[in-house]
Amino acid sequence: MLIETLSVFPEMFEPAMSTSILGRARRSGLFDFAAYDLRDWTHDRHRTVDDEPYGGGQGMLMKVEPLAEAIDDIASVGPRPHVVFFTPCGDVFDQTVAERLSHEERLLFVCGRYEGMDERAYAYADDRLSIGDYVLTGGELAAMVVTDAVVRLLPGALGDEMSNVDESFSTAPSGGLLEYAQYTRPAEFRGARVPDILLSGDHAKVDAWRRENAIERTCRWRPDLIGRADLSAPERARAEELIERFHGAASANDGEEEETVS
């Protein structure tokens, strides 16, 4: 896989791409990375990438010309990249999107700045993504978040191929639940003991406890996920009981309505 970024601050990426799992995966050849400076596609001595918006308003907008020229030039060499723009108008990034992107041969992340982009630039996007309902200074951090989530899914990136499927939000076998609680030595710390069943050596009972614990944790902390989770009929009935206990009847009913709509 080739991952590329187009940004006015390309120097932000190298530390992240050379560290931890991303660094190891890159050194192992699981993906290659290139960061492009948008200013290289400007034609004035000030290397201008932004301008005032038509109609007035606060802030500056990224100009369409350098963005279009850069994407055209980058895409002209090798297989055409799957072009991703980051915008509040985009689909919310989640594990399902990460899994889809992990199958692309080449990804180009276009990172916005200032008050946004000239609307005409979005014609070059294959995907518009948002990583959440909050304001960032630029799209570089969003590109790093998505890159990290995607690279983790590449075969060999984590070493233990089951590491991905057991994690929160994985589509299988966790079924879209939060991950179960985990413990390590010591068995007791300041009066808090590790659940006895995890010390029993009975793997079947441990697996059953972990499944129940994942459902309970999801109901307590992220009840919004239950409507989409892969649960058996008894598990769903149990989840409804837990949501009502933790959040009241209104939340349980909301979860049912959300499931029906979806």
Side-chain angles (χ1 to χ4, degrees):
M1 171 181 279
L2 173 59
I3 297 176
E4 300 161 295
T5 59
L6 180 61
S7 165
V8 294
F9 293 104
E11 65 274 14
M12 290 181 63
F13 291 97
E14 189 57 35
M17 299 302 163
S18 302
T19 305
S20 187
I21 290 172
L22 288 178
R24 291 197 301 271
R26 186 181 177 191
R27 289 189 292 271
S28 298
L30 297 182
F31 81 103
D32 199 2
F33 176 77
Y36 301 103
D37 188 342
L38 180 62
R39 297 187 191 277
D40 291 341
W41 283 272
T42 57
H43 304 287
D44 66 300
R45 66 189 183 92
H46 297 294
R47 307 182 78 200
T48 305
V49 296
D50 61 323
D51 206 343
E52 297 176 351
Y54 281 124
Q58 295 182 344
M60 305 288 279
L61 288 179
M62 296 184 74
K63 295 164 59 68
V64 65
E65 300 102 320
L67 287 165
E69 289 183 27
I71 294 170
D72 285 344
D73 283 352
I74 294 169
S76 69
V77 180
R80 187 187 182 283
H82 185 84
V83 181
V84 178
F85 279 57
F86 296 103
T87 167
C89 301
D91 295 329
V92 176
F93 179 71
D94 61 13
Q95 191 69 12
T96 300
V97 177
E99 291 173 358
R100 173 169 60 80
L101 294 179
S102 73
H103 296 291
E104 295 289 343
E105 182 178 2
R106 185 181 182 190
L107 292 170
L108 173 60
F109 296 124
V110 180
C111 305
R113 280 268 160 176
Y114 315 114
E115 289 298 313
M117 297 182 182
D118 186 307
E119 187 68 21
R120 292 167 291 186
Y122 291 107
Y124 294 86
D126 297 307
D127 259 320
R128 302 185 190 196
L129 295 180
S130 168
I131 65 167
D133 296 337
Y134 45 86
V135 179
L136 293 174
T137 304
E140 291 83 6
L141 292 175
M144 294 180 205
V145 167
V146 174
T147 297
D148 187 271
V150 168
V151 169
R152 293 175 61 85
L153 296 170
L154 300 181
L158 299 183
D160 178 2
E161 296 305 319
M162 289 305 291
S163 293
N164 269 322
V165 297
D166 276 344
E167 290 180 327
S168 299
F169 310 116
S170 176
T171 55
S174 66
L177 299 168
L178 295 182
E179 193 173 9
Y180 49 80
Q182 300 191 71
Y183 304 85
T184 187
R185 294 178 179 85
E188 183 172 346
F189 177 71
R190 296 181 179 177
R193 282 190 52 79
V194 173
D196 289 338
I197 196 167
L198 298 181
L199 309 177
S200 68
D202 188 324
H203 296 297
K205 289 183 178 180
V206 168
D207 288 344
W209 180 90
R210 285 175 168 173
R211 178 67 176 180
E212 171 65 20
N213 185 257
I215 293 171
E216 180 176 336
R217 284 163 59 86
T218 305
C219 291
R220 179 186 294 272
W221 303 116
R222 288 294 305 276
D224 56 297
L225 298 176
I226 290 296
R228 302 187 300 273
D230 183 13
L231 302 176
S232 66
E235 286 176 336
R236 190 161 297 281
R238 173 62 174 159
E240 291 172 359
E241 293 176 2
L242 289 170
I243 291 174
E244 184 169 2
R245 181 202 303 173
F246 294 140
H247 304 285
S251 295
N253 291 335
D254 288 344
E256 291 176 1
E257 291 173 5
E258 180 182 349
E259 181 187 355
T260 302
V261 172
S262 63

